[in-house]
Amino acid sequence: MASSLEKIQFLLSNFLFVVRSKSFLKLFFSLFLFLILPYSLIVGRMIYREYKDALDWNQRFQLIRIQLLAIDIENQIRETLEKDFSEGNSNSFSLRSLSELKSLCPNFILENQFSYQILQCERKGILNSYFLESKGSGFRLHTSAFLEDALLLSSFSDPNEGLFLLNQAGDYGISGFIEDQFLVSNEWKELVRPSLQTNSNVPTLKQVEKEELGYFLVGIPLYGMPIHLFVVSPIHLVLQPILDSLQANLTTLVGILTLTFIISIVISLREIESKQKLTLILNEFPYAAILYDSLGEVLLENPNIEQTLRLTDVYLYQEPLKTWLKKEVTLFLNEIKNQSKTENHSKPNGQNIKKDEFEVMTVTGEILLLEIVYQIWYFGEKNKFASGALLLIQNVTKKHLEFEREMDYAKDLQKKYLPNQIQLFPRFDYEILYRPLIQVGGDYYDYLNLGNNRFIFAIGDVIGHGVKAAMMMTVLKVLFHQITRTETNPEMILLKMNEGITSHFPDPYAFVPFLFLLFDLNENIVSYGNAGHPGMVHYSETERNCYEKLNPMFGMLPKFKPKVLQFPIQTGDRFHLFTDGLKDVENAKKEKIWDTELLSFFDNMKNNHISLVKQELDFKIRSFSEGKDLLDDITWIGIDII
């Protein structure tokens, strides 16, 4: 018994949970608004029109029918009176004097203008209804049986209706209601009294109520007789088809309502089950997560950024973080919609569409760094348009501090592997500008004294950024130093560098653009070796040259035939060596500095000292980018021959 009660309570609690859920209420009221309510309005209007039409038809029908009934009953009365008089029927008898009539019929009132009356008379100790016929000074009484038959058997009457006749005064009449012993009840007399007419033969119709039932009451005076005929029709007979239609439509409406209720529960159960699964998933996240719909409203959320830190405890720009997130996610969803329209496809590529980091303040005044990842989601694989956005909020303060420490360490380490001061070489005046994308980068630069009046300047660009690229850059330096320690032939330097990178560099760092200038002051010749590097700009006394990429980048091919350019060293020559990070500097209009201004800048600075060129180049990069983030590490070496 207890287990059954627990099951019932469990089912009842689940049922109440479902019907109180927002998903059920939204779905049920949506179906009610767009299905049940329109159906109700259409059916109600139809039934109302049927009701009005039925009443109008009944009024016209009853008014015509009662006139036919009046003519029929009056004809029967006259035929019966003539037959009784001619045949001397026992149902009638003559009276010779007024006193004799009054003795039998104490309620008789002499009315000279009328020849016929309905009376109640007592004969042989029996009180009965009679029809009085006046002829001059004589009178003849007829029993009311023929009138009762006329009211019951008229061809113009309906078995479900009632007919009765009333005298002119309305105080006595003969009825077709058997249960009333063919007498008009006092209640009916009171109900029909307002319909009695004295100076008109026009039929009347009105609605009356008796014993909480409604009736149509139609009345008309008989022509030439001081008698009124009344027909009583139950309203429900006229309205029965309408009531049947109403009942059928109400049954259908209740069925639709029940079906809507069941469908809403079933769909809501599925949605609630899905939400419960999503809630479990969100709650399993080690950080806060919020699921928004396409309008930016919160569907589900895990508000815990950490065990002791919630979204409600965090403020950004002096407002609650959740308030700010709602604005941002609305903008994000609008951007996705606009992107889908402009790019002529529905689903943008990628999942982590947007990532931000913000410093926020807790209610205790602590400053934290939060990482917020915006990701669109779809309700099903076949959905073409975003159903909403998923936001993941993570406290990355500790990670950021650890990253900063690692970057400081990597920066110090890279400083040890990159030349940190200018060496004095004969006939050379040179400067270096190095700007990594982050604190450390993959760009490599170097300058070495190879001995015997030979000097080499080199630039390389390991693919990637950050610590990993910086580590591979150190490997590149070690390899370059090992090769140049024993090898001064430019072609062999190219071949051995390619072999070393192919053998020792892992993917995706196995491709390295590289460029070097090897100056031989004994021969007064410079050798230009380029392995897939953007190149350099060379100013001589008479011209400016931008040399091409002579060889594939290191690691591209296992073997290749090296190409090297050689030209004489002349006093006043200037060389600009740089990585592609300098060429790719962009402004807000996405214009590249190489395409628009870099060569002009070098031309204009041709006669300035190389140290001033470095300062102005650094300023040029900052002003041209207009505060926009750099796209890559930047390294530049400027060399003047003196």
Side-chain angles (χ1 to χ4, degrees):
M1 181 67 179
S3 61
S4 300
L5 184 60
E6 289 176 357
K7 289 181 180 178
I8 293 173
Q9 290 177 343
F10 176 74
L11 292 174
L12 181 61
S13 63
N14 284 343
F15 174 78
L16 293 176
F17 173 76
V18 173
V19 298
R20 289 176 179 174
S21 64
K22 289 184 178 180
S23 58
F24 170 81
L25 294 175
K26 287 180 181 179
L27 182 60
F28 180 76
F29 283 113
S30 297
L31 291 174
F32 180 85
L33 183 63
F34 294 105
L35 181 63
I36 297 175
L37 186 59
Y39 179 82
S40 302
L41 293 174
I42 292 171
V43 170
R45 181 174 177 81
M46 179 184 69
I47 292 176
Y48 176 75
R49 291 185 63 180
E50 289 180 357
Y51 172 76
K52 295 290 288 183
D53 292 343
L55 291 182
D56 183 59
W57 173 86
N58 180 72
Q59 180 176 359
R60 287 181 279 128
F61 173 74
Q62 295 285 15
L63 292 177
I64 294 172
R65 189 163 65 95
I66 197 169
Q67 295 181 63
L68 297 175
L69 272 169
I71 295 172
D72 180 57
I73 290 175
E74 185 173 352
N75 289 336
Q76 289 188 53
I77 291 174
R78 293 185 185 280
E79 289 175 2
T80 301
L81 295 181
E82 291 178 2
K83 184 177 179 181
D84 287 349
F85 181 78
S86 61
E87 295 180 359
N89 196 308
S90 59
N91 292 328
S92 63
F93 55 91
S94 299
L95 299 175
R96 295 175 182 168
S97 64
L98 181 61
S99 59
E100 185 180 2
L101 175 62
K102 288 184 176 182
S103 64
L104 293 175
C105 309
N107 293 329
F108 168 75
I109 298 174
L110 180 62
E111 296 181 358
N112 294 329
Q113 67 271 35
F114 299 120
S115 301
Y116 306 98
Q117 290 189 43
I118 298 176
L119 297 171
Q120 188 176 36
C121 303
E122 185 177 356
R123 186 183 180 203
K124 297 179 182 182
I126 299 174
L127 191 64
N128 210 338
S129 298
Y130 290 90
F131 189 83
L132 173 64
E133 179 185 9
S134 301
K135 288 189 176 183
S137 59
F139 305 95
R140 190 173 183 85
L141 287 175
H142 302 265
T143 59
S144 63
F146 79 96
L147 286 175
E148 295 165 3
D149 292 339
L151 294 175
L152 285 173
L153 304 176
S154 173
S155 59
F156 296 100
S157 65
D158 189 290
N160 297 309
E161 297 177 333
L163 282 72
F164 55 84
L165 298 170
L166 278 179
N167 59 11
Q168 182 68 24
D171 56 3
Y172 189 76
I174 299 172
S175 171
F177 296 115
I178 300 175
E179 63 272 14
D180 293 329
Q181 297 181 348
F182 299 105
L183 295 177
V184 180
S185 66
N186 291 329
E187 189 173 358
W188 278 117
K189 290 176 186 178
E190 291 299 322
L191 291 173
V192 304
R193 192 177 300 280
S195 299
L196 294 173
Q197 302 181 67
T198 56
N199 300 317
S200 174
N201 289 325
V202 177
T204 60
L205 182 146
K206 69 175 185 176
Q207 295 183 34
V208 296
E209 188 172 314
K210 181 177 179 290
E211 298 176 356
E212 297 183 355
L213 296 177
Y215 296 90
F216 291 114
L217 180 65
V218 188
I220 189 173
L222 298 184
Y223 297 99
M225 292 184 180
I227 299 170
H228 278 76
L229 170 65
F230 289 94
V231 178
V232 179
S233 302
I235 292 178
H236 75 271
L237 293 179
V238 177
L239 301 180
Q240 191 60 45
I242 301 174
L243 294 174
D244 293 341
S245 175
L246 178 61
Q247 184 177 3
N249 282 289
L250 284 176
T251 303
T252 303
L253 193 61
V254 170
I256 295 174
L257 188 63
T258 304
L259 185 62
T260 300
F261 188 81
I262 294 173
I263 291 174
S264 301
I265 286 181
V266 171
I267 296 177
S268 298
L269 280 172
R270 293 182 63 185
E271 185 176 343
I272 289 171
E273 183 182 0
S274 300
K275 283 187 176 181
Q276 288 175 339
K277 291 179 180 178
L278 285 172
T279 302
L280 290 174
I281 293 172
L282 290 182
N283 289 336
E284 289 297 319
F285 279 23
Y287 37 83
I290 308 177
L291 190 67
Y292 293 88
D293 63 15
S294 59
L295 300 177
E297 298 296 331
V298 176
L299 292 175
L300 298 170
E301 67 175 333
N302 171 16
N304 299 312
I305 301 174
E306 292 176 347
Q307 259 188 337
T308 58
L309 182 65
R310 295 171 60 87
L311 287 171
T312 52
D313 301 331
V314 177
Y315 292 83
L316 177 64
Y317 303 136
Q318 298 182 347
E319 69 176 343
L321 179 63
K322 285 188 68 175
T323 304
W324 183 85
L325 288 176
K326 180 177 175 60
K327 299 175 186 175
E328 287 298 304
V329 80
T330 302
L331 294 174
F332 170 69
L333 289 169
N334 289 334
E335 289 175 3
I336 297 299
K337 291 176 184 177
N338 294 333
Q339 179 184 348
S340 298
K341 293 177 182 177
T342 54
E343 296 184 4
N344 204 16
H345 62 79
S346 299
K347 288 189 178 182
N349 294 324
Q351 292 184 343
N352 294 337
I353 305 299
K354 182 180 177 183
K355 181 186 289 187
D356 285 330
E357 287 187 357
F358 294 98
E359 284 191 348
V360 298
M361 180 180 292
T362 66
V363 291
T364 60
E366 184 181 3
I367 303 298
L368 300 176
L369 182 67
L370 295 186
E371 178 187 82
I372 303 172
V373 178
Y374 302 76
Q375 178 176 330
I376 59 175
W377 65 277
Y378 298 90
F379 195 75
E381 294 181 358
K382 296 183 179 180
N383 281 38
K384 295 183 178 180
F385 299 100
S387 302
L390 173 64
L391 264 64
L392 306 177
I393 302 100
Q394 184 178 9
N395 182 7
V396 294
T397 307
K398 293 181 180 179
K399 290 183 179 180
H400 184 73
L401 292 175
E402 292 175 0
F403 175 77
E404 289 293 333
R405 285 195 293 269
E406 290 179 357
M407 293 302 294
D408 288 340
Y409 174 77
K411 186 177 180 180
D412 292 340
L413 184 63
Q414 191 170 50
K415 283 182 179 179
K416 294 179 181 179
Y417 280 91
L418 289 175
N420 54 14
Q421 61 184 3
I422 300 295
Q423 296 185 31
L424 297 177
F425 293 156
R427 298 193 63 189
F428 295 105
D429 194 358
Y430 63 96
E431 289 286 348
I432 296 170
L433 176 65
Y434 175 65
R435 289 186 60 183
L437 181 63
I438 50 180
Q439 294 182 5
V440 292
D443 279 7
Y444 169 64
Y445 67 89
D446 214 339
Y447 38 88
L448 300 173
N449 184 349
L450 302 181
N452 196 21
N453 282 331
R454 286 174 298 181
F455 305 90
I456 190 168
F457 292 82
I459 281 183
D461 185 3
V462 175
I463 293 175
H465 314 288
V467 177
K468 291 182 179 180
M471 292 175 62
M472 298 311 301
M473 184 275 297
T474 61
V475 178
L476 180 66
K477 172 177 178 169
V478 171
L479 180 64
F480 182 67
H481 278 231
Q482 286 179 345
I483 293 172
T484 55
R485 200 172 288 153
T486 59
E487 187 63 66
T488 58
N489 185 319
E491 294 180 353
M492 293 305 297
I493 291 174
L494 289 170
L495 290 177
K496 289 186 177 182
M497 285 291 294
N498 183 66
E499 181 182 349
I501 288 173
T502 303
S503 302
H504 299 96
F505 273 50
D507 290 335
Y509 306 99
F511 307 104
V512 179
F514 200 85
L515 176 152
F516 65 82
L517 289 176
L518 196 158
F519 296 90
D520 188 340
L521 299 184
N522 295 326
E523 300 291 335
N524 208 34
I525 292 175
V526 58
S527 299
Y528 168 68
N530 187 327
H533 201 274
M536 71 168 181
V537 179
H538 174 213
Y539 286 91
S540 63
E541 185 178 353
T542 57
E543 59 183 348
R544 178 191 71 190
N545 290 303
C546 298
Y547 297 106
E548 62 181 6
K549 302 174 183 178
L550 303 175
N551 305 285
M553 70 175 66
F554 293 149
M556 181 69 70
L557 298 174
K559 293 182 179 180
F560 61 87
K561 187 176 181 180
K563 296 179 182 178
V564 175
L565 289 182
Q566 290 185 336
F567 37 87
I569 301 173
Q570 297 180 1
T571 302
D573 282 3
R574 173 171 287 179
F575 301 89
H576 294 283
L577 287 67
F578 47 86
T579 57
D580 57 1
L582 178 58
K583 295 179 67 175
D584 291 339
V585 173
E586 280 187 355
N587 59 18
K589 298 178 182 179
K590 294 189 176 182
E591 296 172 338
K592 303 285 187 182
I593 193 172
W594 174 258
D595 300 329
T596 58
E597 299 185 19
L598 189 58
L599 287 177
S600 298
F601 169 80
F602 287 150
D603 290 342
N604 295 333
M605 299 297 295
K606 179 180 178 182
N607 298 320
N608 295 101
H609 192 270
I610 198 69
S611 61
L612 180 61
V613 175
K614 173 185 175 180
Q615 295 178 13
E616 292 297 324
L617 179 60
D618 190 27
F619 177 76
K620 184 66 178 178
I621 292 170
R622 297 176 189 277
S623 61
F624 184 85
S625 63
E626 300 174 336
K628 186 177 179 182
D629 293 337
L630 299 177
L631 301 178
D632 200 355
D633 304 323
I634 295 176
T635 303
W636 165 87
I637 300 178
I639 306 170
D640 281 346
I641 305 299
I642 56 178

